[in-house]
Amino acid sequence: MESTFVPVIVGTDINAYTMAISFHQEYGITPWVIGQAPLSFTEWSDITTQIEYHDDLRKPGRFTPILLDFAKRHVGKPLLLIGTNDAYVRLIVENAAALQPAYRFNYPTLNLLNKFQHKADFYQLCDQYGIPHPVTKTALCSDPAPEFDDRGLRYPVIVKPNDTVKYMYMHFAGKEKVFKCVDRTALERVLTLLNANGYSESVLIQEYIPGADDALWDSVVYVDRQHHAQMVSLAQVVLQEHDRTAIGNYTALIARFDAALMNQLADFLEAVGYAGYANFDMKRDPRDGQIKTFEANTRQGRASYYITGLGQNLARNLVDDCIKGETKPRVLAKGDFLYSLVPKFVLRHFVKSPALHQEINQLISGKHWVNPLFYPADHNAKRRRFLFLRQLNYVRKYYRNR
């Protein structure tokens, strides 16, 4: 199908793949992908056949020249630019002035991006606009034995880096996406570990909210270039990754509807002058019944493809705004839909709630569900073998982490 625009996706991970199939599903086109290195999600795919690899993509001073060189070689149609992780989004925003003559994209300003990606600043915004969040303190890891004030915190606590982009690319023994500490001694060990391995920025020390995977919630919001929230979704998490290095990555969700909560999140983004996709991670606190926000990613999330099952294609929201310039009223997405990256066996054996079991079975029986990695139009045989082994590995991982 001939298109009036060219999607350019930066990244090669699962987020890049679900964005690519969103364009293919909606417009019948295969986007361009620019990445640092091959990953199986996109390398072995009939949908992402147009890929350029640049091992220096994230090196200082290289991102913009690489993208501008690509633009010079692809003239004639608008180029729609999409980042798929926090680091790439930051590079787009930091280099927005240089990229805007060649590309169309929709992201917040650098000032607002900084406030969202640095969690302490984000919680200050939440306080200002009445968005509930867990009790949180900060500590600096600039000293081998950092001092901090834990008064008012109830243990156990969660420790996570304030500078998520820097931490993403650090590698050391004992690294976890977030650390759970049962007491102050355990907390001090984590702070010392981070300092010893080169993380000298601040960390968040956050009260742990009890509850299983199904206490977690997800919301995807698209805010157009005029700062109007056009689309809001909500989902309850059914399962998340259970490996310690991947906790927080959702593997199964069921769409939900709560107009008050959805409008509250959309109003918040409009009030702060946000633009683009935002993906909220939240959890219901059984102690007071409130759904409390952990963070809002400044992009679509790796599990955000579920909104396509609610009639809100990930690509179409961007195209209608950035390419067509359409102004649309706010839509609160609603429908019965299950998103799952894991095999049915895992859902049936590791989801603990009988009510969720029944709902999952009904959604699967009614074909109201999707595993986006098994996109029907993607016939690559090597990729099918990779996915089969990946599904087996999920079974092993969940059994290992029971």
Side-chain angles (χ1 to χ4, degrees):
M1 179 186 296
E2 183 69 18
S3 174
T4 59
F5 66 96
V6 177
V8 182
I9 298 170
V10 186
T12 55
D13 61 4
I14 188 172
N15 198 329
Y17 181 76
T18 54
M19 283 304 308
I21 65 173
S22 295
F23 282 103
H24 187 267
Q25 185 174 359
E26 186 73 11
Y27 304 103
I29 59 177
T30 56
W32 276 92
V33 175
I34 298 176
Q36 185 180 17
L39 289 177
S40 300
F41 298 109
T42 46
E43 182 186 17
W44 299 330
S45 170
D46 292 337
I47 308 303
T48 53
T49 54
Q50 303 180 119
I51 305 183
E52 287 190 3
Y53 297 114
H54 300 271
D55 59 6
D56 58 346
L57 185 60
R58 291 202 309 266
K59 289 184 178 178
R62 290 299 300 140
F63 185 80
T64 297
I66 287 170
L67 287 184
L68 292 181
D69 175 70
F70 178 92
K72 289 177 183 177
R73 292 183 279 113
H74 296 83
V75 297
K77 296 179 181 179
L79 303 178
L80 179 59
L81 186 62
I82 304 105
T84 56
N85 66 32
D86 290 340
Y88 289 139
V89 170
R90 171 165 287 279
L91 284 168
I92 292 170
V93 173
E94 287 179 341
N95 297 282
L99 294 171
Q100 278 169 343
Y103 291 91
R104 299 187 190 183
F105 48 87
N106 186 26
Y107 289 106
T109 63
L110 181 58
N111 178 57
L112 196 55
L113 181 85
N114 287 335
K115 290 181 179 179
F116 271 64
Q117 288 191 347
H118 290 80
K119 305 309 178 191
D121 295 334
F122 174 68
Y123 288 136
Q124 288 182 358
L125 282 179
C126 288
D127 288 336
Q128 184 178 349
Y129 291 96
I131 304 296
H133 63 84
V135 175
T136 306
K137 303 267 188 171
T138 61
L140 277 174
C141 291
S142 54
D143 298 319
E147 295 184 3
F148 57 93
D149 178 10
D150 62 354
R151 288 175 296 180
L153 283 173
R154 288 181 286 185
Y155 286 94
V157 296
I158 297 295
V159 178
K160 48 189 175 184
N162 196 19
D163 190 339
T164 55
V165 173
K166 176 175 181 177
Y167 189 68
M168 181 191 310
Y169 297 110
M170 294 180 65
H171 302 282
F172 56 88
K175 179 183 177 181
E176 298 182 16
K177 186 175 180 181
V178 299
F179 297 86
K180 184 177 179 181
C181 303
V182 296
D183 55 27
R184 186 180 175 103
T185 300
L187 174 54
E188 290 173 346
R189 282 199 297 266
V190 168
L191 298 181
T192 301
L193 173 70
L194 292 172
N195 172 271
N197 286 280
Y199 183 84
S200 58
E201 282 69 36
S202 61
V203 296
L204 301 180
I205 305 169
Q206 190 171 82
E207 188 172 275
Y208 173 72
I209 296 179
D213 290 357
D214 57 13
L216 295 164
W217 290 76
D218 178 275
S219 178
V220 183
V221 186
Y222 183 75
V223 185
D224 66 22
R225 290 175 297 171
Q226 285 70 47
H227 310 294
H228 299 139
Q230 290 188 352
M231 188 284 306
V232 192
S233 72
L234 184 66
Q236 181 182 8
V237 175
V238 174
L239 280 177
Q240 65 173 324
E241 292 271 10
H242 285 181
D243 274 0
R244 296 176 72 88
T245 57
I247 287 175
N249 292 332
Y250 304 149
T251 53
L253 309 94
I254 294 177
R256 300 298 188 207
F257 187 82
D258 181 332
L261 175 59
M262 296 161 83
N263 280 317
Q264 181 186 37
L265 297 176
D267 291 344
F268 165 62
L269 292 176
E270 289 185 352
V272 300
Y274 194 84
Y277 272 115
N279 181 212
F280 288 87
D281 293 325
M282 304 170 288
K283 191 172 187 179
R284 186 182 295 278
D285 191 334
R287 298 166 299 188
D288 58 18
Q290 284 189 317
I291 292 182
K292 297 178 179 178
T293 295
F294 292 136
E295 62 182 349
N297 297 302
T298 53
R299 51 172 170 78
Q300 71 285 347
R302 71 193 295 272
S304 294
Y305 183 82
Y306 77 87
I307 72 172
T308 300
L310 303 177
Q312 298 296 324
N313 183 283
L314 276 168
R316 188 175 71 239
N317 289 313
L318 285 165
V319 171
D320 287 351
D321 181 25
C322 298
I323 302 298
K324 298 180 180 179
E326 294 183 0
T327 300
K328 298 188 292 187
R330 182 184 298 180
V331 172
L332 304 184
K334 188 175 185 179
D336 298 318
F337 197 74
L338 166 68
Y339 166 101
S340 177
L341 293 176
V342 298
K344 299 173 191 176
F345 178 87
V346 170
L347 290 174
R348 288 167 178 156
H349 285 77
F350 294 95
V351 175
K352 298 177 181 179
S353 164
L356 284 176
H357 267 291
Q358 182 179 357
E359 189 173 7
I360 287 168
N361 289 333
Q362 289 173 345
L363 291 170
I364 291 175
S365 298
K367 302 188 185 304
H368 297 297
W369 80 292
V370 70
N371 182 334
L373 297 181
F374 290 89
Y375 182 54
D378 201 341
H379 305 293
N380 187 288
K382 185 179 288 188
R383 188 171 181 281
R384 292 282 173 170
R385 289 193 294 272
F386 155 70
L387 291 178
F388 174 74
L389 294 174
R390 193 172 187 272
Q391 294 289 283
L392 289 179
N393 191 47
Y394 263 131
V395 175
R396 296 190 190 101
K397 285 201 300 183
Y398 277 92
Y399 268 112
R400 184 174 66 238
N401 292 290
R402 281 185 296 179

Short mmCIF file of all heavy atoms in Angstrom, two decimals, residues 161-193:
data_model
loop_
_atom_site.label_atom_id
_atom_site.label_comp_id
_atom_site.label_asym_id
_atom_site.label_seq_id
_atom_site.Cartn_x
_atom_site.Cartn_y
_atom_site.Cartn_z
N PRO A 161 16.68 3.87 41.29
CA PRO A 161 17.46 5.05 40.89
C PRO A 161 16.56 6.18 40.39
O PRO A 161 15.57 5.94 39.70
CB PRO A 161 18.35 4.52 39.77
CG PRO A 161 18.40 3.05 40.00
CD PRO A 161 17.07 2.68 40.55
N ASN A 162 16.92 7.38 40.76
CA ASN A 162 16.20 8.56 40.27
C ASN A 162 16.52 8.80 38.79
O ASN A 162 15.65 9.17 38.00
CB ASN A 162 16.58 9.78 41.10
CG ASN A 162 15.60 10.92 40.92
OD1 ASN A 162 14.47 10.74 40.48
ND2 ASN A 162 16.03 12.12 41.28
N ASP A 163 17.77 8.56 38.40
CA ASP A 163 18.20 8.74 37.01
C ASP A 163 18.07 7.40 36.30
O ASP A 163 19.01 6.61 36.22
CB ASP A 163 19.64 9.24 36.96
CG ASP A 163 20.06 9.68 35.57
OD1 ASP A 163 19.41 9.24 34.59
OD2 ASP A 163 21.03 10.44 35.45
N THR A 164 16.88 7.13 35.76
CA THR A 164 16.60 5.83 35.17
C THR A 164 17.37 5.60 33.88
O THR A 164 17.72 4.46 33.55
CB THR A 164 15.10 5.66 34.91
OG1 THR A 164 14.64 6.76 34.11
CG2 THR A 164 14.32 5.63 36.21
N VAL A 165 17.63 6.66 33.12
CA VAL A 165 18.35 6.50 31.86
C VAL A 165 19.79 6.05 32.11
O VAL A 165 20.28 5.12 31.48
CB VAL A 165 18.30 7.80 31.03
CG1 VAL A 165 19.18 7.68 29.79
CG2 VAL A 165 16.86 8.10 30.62
N LYS A 166 20.48 6.71 33.03
CA LYS A 166 21.85 6.31 33.34
C LYS A 166 21.89 4.89 33.87
O LYS A 166 22.74 4.08 33.46
CB LYS A 166 22.47 7.27 34.37
CG LYS A 166 23.88 6.85 34.78
CD LYS A 166 24.56 7.85 35.70
CE LYS A 166 25.97 7.36 36.04
NZ LYS A 166 26.72 8.32 36.86
N TYR A 167 20.96 4.57 34.77
CA TYR A 167 20.98 3.24 35.40
C TYR A 167 20.70 2.14 34.39
O TYR A 167 21.20 1.02 34.53
CB TYR A 167 19.95 3.21 36.53
CG TYR A 167 20.03 1.98 37.40
CD1 TYR A 167 21.12 1.76 38.24
CD2 TYR A 167 19.01 1.03 37.41
CE1 TYR A 167 21.19 0.63 39.04
CE2 TYR A 167 19.07 -0.09 38.21
CZ TYR A 167 20.16 -0.28 39.02
OH TYR A 167 20.22 -1.40 39.82
N MET A 168 19.91 2.44 33.35
CA MET A 168 19.54 1.45 32.35
C MET A 168 20.76 0.80 31.72
O MET A 168 20.78 -0.39 31.42
CB MET A 168 18.70 2.13 31.26
CG MET A 168 18.22 1.21 30.16
SD MET A 168 17.51 2.14 28.76
CE MET A 168 16.36 3.22 29.58
N TYR A 169 21.83 1.60 31.55
CA TYR A 169 23.00 1.11 30.83
C TYR A 169 24.15 0.72 31.75
O TYR A 169 25.27 0.50 31.28
CB TYR A 169 23.44 2.15 29.81
CG TYR A 169 22.38 2.39 28.75
CD1 TYR A 169 21.67 3.58 28.70
CD2 TYR A 169 22.05 1.38 27.85
CE1 TYR A 169 20.68 3.78 27.76
CE2 TYR A 169 21.06 1.57 26.91
CZ TYR A 169 20.37 2.77 26.87
OH TYR A 169 19.39 2.96 25.94
N MET A 170 23.88 0.62 33.04
CA MET A 170 24.90 0.14 33.97
C MET A 170 24.78 -1.38 34.13
O MET A 170 23.68 -1.93 34.12
CB MET A 170 24.73 0.83 35.34
CG MET A 170 25.00 2.31 35.31
SD MET A 170 24.77 3.08 36.94
CE MET A 170 26.10 2.28 37.86
N HIS A 171 25.92 -2.05 34.26
CA HIS A 171 25.93 -3.50 34.42
C HIS A 171 26.89 -3.87 35.55
O HIS A 171 28.07 -3.50 35.52
CB HIS A 171 26.37 -4.18 33.12
CG HIS A 171 25.49 -3.84 31.95
ND1 HIS A 171 24.26 -4.41 31.74
CD2 HIS A 171 25.67 -2.94 30.95
CE1 HIS A 171 23.71 -3.91 30.65
NE2 HIS A 171 24.54 -3.01 30.15
N PHE A 172 26.39 -4.59 36.54
CA PHE A 172 27.23 -5.03 37.64
C PHE A 172 26.54 -6.18 38.37
O PHE A 172 25.32 -6.35 38.30
CB PHE A 172 27.54 -3.88 38.61
CG PHE A 172 26.32 -3.18 39.17
CD1 PHE A 172 25.70 -3.65 40.33
CD2 PHE A 172 25.78 -2.07 38.55
CE1 PHE A 172 24.58 -3.02 40.86
CE2 PHE A 172 24.67 -1.42 39.07
CZ PHE A 172 24.07 -1.90 40.23
N ALA A 173 27.34 -6.95 39.07
CA ALA A 173 26.81 -8.07 39.83
C ALA A 173 25.89 -7.57 40.93
O ALA A 173 26.24 -6.64 41.66
CB ALA A 173 27.95 -8.89 40.43
N GLY A 174 24.72 -8.16 41.03
CA GLY A 174 23.76 -7.75 42.05
C GLY A 174 22.78 -6.69 41.59
O GLY A 174 21.91 -6.27 42.37
N LYS A 175 22.91 -6.24 40.34
CA LYS A 175 21.98 -5.22 39.84
C LYS A 175 20.56 -5.78 39.75
O LYS A 175 20.34 -6.89 39.27
CB LYS A 175 22.42 -4.72 38.47
CG LYS A 175 21.47 -3.66 37.89
CD LYS A 175 21.87 -3.21 36.49
CE LYS A 175 20.85 -2.22 35.94
NZ LYS A 175 21.17 -1.76 34.59
N GLU A 176 19.59 -4.99 40.19
CA GLU A 176 18.19 -5.31 40.03
C GLU A 176 17.48 -4.07 39.51
O GLU A 176 17.95 -2.94 39.70
CB GLU A 176 17.57 -5.76 41.36
CG GLU A 176 18.21 -7.03 41.90
CD GLU A 176 17.58 -7.51 43.21
OE1 GLU A 176 16.46 -7.04 43.53
OE2 GLU A 176 18.20 -8.33 43.89
N LYS A 177 16.35 -4.28 38.84
CA LYS A 177 15.62 -3.13 38.32
C LYS A 177 15.18 -2.23 39.47
O LYS A 177 15.31 -1.01 39.42
CB LYS A 177 14.40 -3.60 37.52
CG LYS A 177 13.68 -2.46 36.82
CD LYS A 177 12.56 -2.97 35.93
CE LYS A 177 11.86 -1.81 35.24
NZ LYS A 177 10.75 -2.27 34.38
N VAL A 178 14.64 -2.83 40.52
CA VAL A 178 14.38 -2.15 41.79
C VAL A 178 14.80 -3.10 42.90
O VAL A 178 14.82 -4.31 42.72
CB VAL A 178 12.89 -1.75 41.95
CG1 VAL A 178 12.46 -0.79 40.86
CG2 VAL A 178 11.98 -2.98 41.96
N PHE A 179 15.14 -2.55 44.04
CA PHE A 179 15.57 -3.35 45.18
C PHE A 179 14.50 -3.29 46.27
O PHE A 179 13.99 -2.20 46.58
CB PHE A 179 16.89 -2.83 45.75
CG PHE A 179 18.05 -2.90 44.81
CD1 PHE A 179 18.29 -1.86 43.90
CD2 PHE A 179 18.91 -3.98 44.81
CE1 PHE A 179 19.36 -1.89 43.03
CE2 PHE A 179 20.00 -4.03 43.94
CZ PHE A 179 20.22 -2.98 43.05
N LYS A 180 14.20 -4.43 46.86
CA LYS A 180 13.27 -4.47 47.99
C LYS A 180 14.08 -4.73 49.26
O LYS A 180 14.81 -5.71 49.35
CB LYS A 180 12.22 -5.57 47.80
CG LYS A 180 11.16 -5.59 48.89
CD LYS A 180 10.11 -6.67 48.60
CE LYS A 180 9.06 -6.73 49.70
NZ LYS A 180 8.06 -7.79 49.44
N CYS A 181 13.95 -3.82 50.22
CA CYS A 181 14.75 -3.89 51.45
C CYS A 181 13.83 -4.05 52.65
O CYS A 181 12.92 -3.24 52.86
CB CYS A 181 15.59 -2.62 51.61
SG CYS A 181 16.69 -2.31 50.22
N VAL A 182 14.09 -5.08 53.46
CA VAL A 182 13.20 -5.39 54.58
C VAL A 182 13.48 -4.52 55.80
O VAL A 182 12.63 -4.39 56.68
CB VAL A 182 13.30 -6.88 54.96
CG1 VAL A 182 12.81 -7.76 53.82
CG2 VAL A 182 14.72 -7.26 55.36
N ASP A 183 14.68 -3.92 55.88
CA ASP A 183 15.02 -3.09 57.03
C ASP A 183 16.12 -2.10 56.63
O ASP A 183 16.61 -2.12 55.50
CB ASP A 183 15.44 -3.94 58.24
CG ASP A 183 16.58 -4.89 57.92
OD1 ASP A 183 17.39 -4.60 57.01
OD2 ASP A 183 16.67 -5.95 58.58
N ARG A 184 16.50 -1.26 57.57
CA ARG A 184 17.50 -0.23 57.27
C ARG A 184 18.85 -0.84 56.92
O ARG A 184 19.57 -0.32 56.05
CB ARG A 184 17.64 0.72 58.47
CG ARG A 184 18.57 1.89 58.17
CD ARG A 184 18.73 2.84 59.35
NE ARG A 184 19.72 3.87 59.06
CZ ARG A 184 19.43 5.12 58.72
NH1 ARG A 184 18.18 5.52 58.62
NH2 ARG A 184 20.40 5.99 58.48
N THR A 185 19.22 -1.95 57.54
CA THR A 185 20.50 -2.58 57.23
C THR A 185 20.56 -3.02 55.77
O THR A 185 21.55 -2.79 55.07
CB THR A 185 20.72 -3.80 58.15
OG1 THR A 185 20.72 -3.37 59.52
CG2 THR A 185 22.04 -4.48 57.84
N ALA A 186 19.48 -3.63 55.30
CA ALA A 186 19.42 -4.05 53.90
C ALA A 186 19.46 -2.83 52.98
O ALA A 186 20.10 -2.85 51.92
CB ALA A 186 18.16 -4.87 53.65
N LEU A 187 18.82 -1.77 53.39
CA LEU A 187 18.81 -0.54 52.60
C LEU A 187 20.22 0.04 52.49
O LEU A 187 20.65 0.46 51.40
CB LEU A 187 17.85 0.47 53.25
CG LEU A 187 17.78 1.88 52.67
CD1 LEU A 187 17.48 1.85 51.18
CD2 LEU A 187 16.72 2.69 53.41
N GLU A 188 20.95 0.06 53.58
CA GLU A 188 22.32 0.58 53.56
C GLU A 188 23.21 -0.25 52.64
O GLU A 188 24.08 0.28 51.95
CB GLU A 188 22.89 0.62 54.98
CG GLU A 188 22.23 1.69 55.86
CD GLU A 188 22.68 1.62 57.31
OE1 GLU A 188 23.29 0.59 57.68
OE2 GLU A 188 22.41 2.58 58.06
N ARG A 189 22.98 -1.58 52.63
CA ARG A 189 23.77 -2.44 51.74
C ARG A 189 23.53 -2.08 50.28
O ARG A 189 24.46 -2.06 49.47
CB ARG A 189 23.43 -3.92 51.99
CG ARG A 189 24.09 -4.52 53.22
CD ARG A 189 24.09 -6.03 53.15
NE ARG A 189 22.74 -6.57 53.14
CZ ARG A 189 22.08 -6.96 54.24
NH1 ARG A 189 22.65 -6.86 55.43
NH2 ARG A 189 20.87 -7.45 54.15
N VAL A 190 22.28 -1.81 49.92
CA VAL A 190 21.95 -1.46 48.53
C VAL A 190 22.60 -0.14 48.14
O VAL A 190 23.19 -0.01 47.07
CB VAL A 190 20.42 -1.41 48.33
CG1 VAL A 190 20.08 -0.75 47.00
CG2 VAL A 190 19.82 -2.80 48.40
N LEU A 191 22.52 0.85 49.01
CA LEU A 191 23.12 2.16 48.70
C LEU A 191 24.63 2.04 48.53
O LEU A 191 25.22 2.67 47.64
CB LEU A 191 22.78 3.16 49.80
CG LEU A 191 21.28 3.46 50.00
CD1 LEU A 191 21.10 4.49 51.12
CD2 LEU A 191 20.64 3.97 48.72
N THR A 192 25.26 1.24 49.36
CA THR A 192 26.70 1.02 49.25
C THR A 192 27.04 0.30 47.94
O THR A 192 28.02 0.63 47.26
CB THR A 192 27.22 0.21 50.45
OG1 THR A 192 26.92 0.92 51.66
CG2 THR A 192 28.71 -0.02 50.35
N LEU A 193 26.21 -0.70 47.57
CA LEU A 193 26.41 -1.43 46.32
C LEU A 193 26.34 -0.49 45.11
O LEU A 193 27.19 -0.55 44.21
CB LEU A 193 25.35 -2.52 46.18
CG LEU A 193 25.32 -3.28 44.86
CD1 LEU A 193 26.55 -4.18 44.73
CD2 LEU A 193 24.05 -4.11 44.73
#
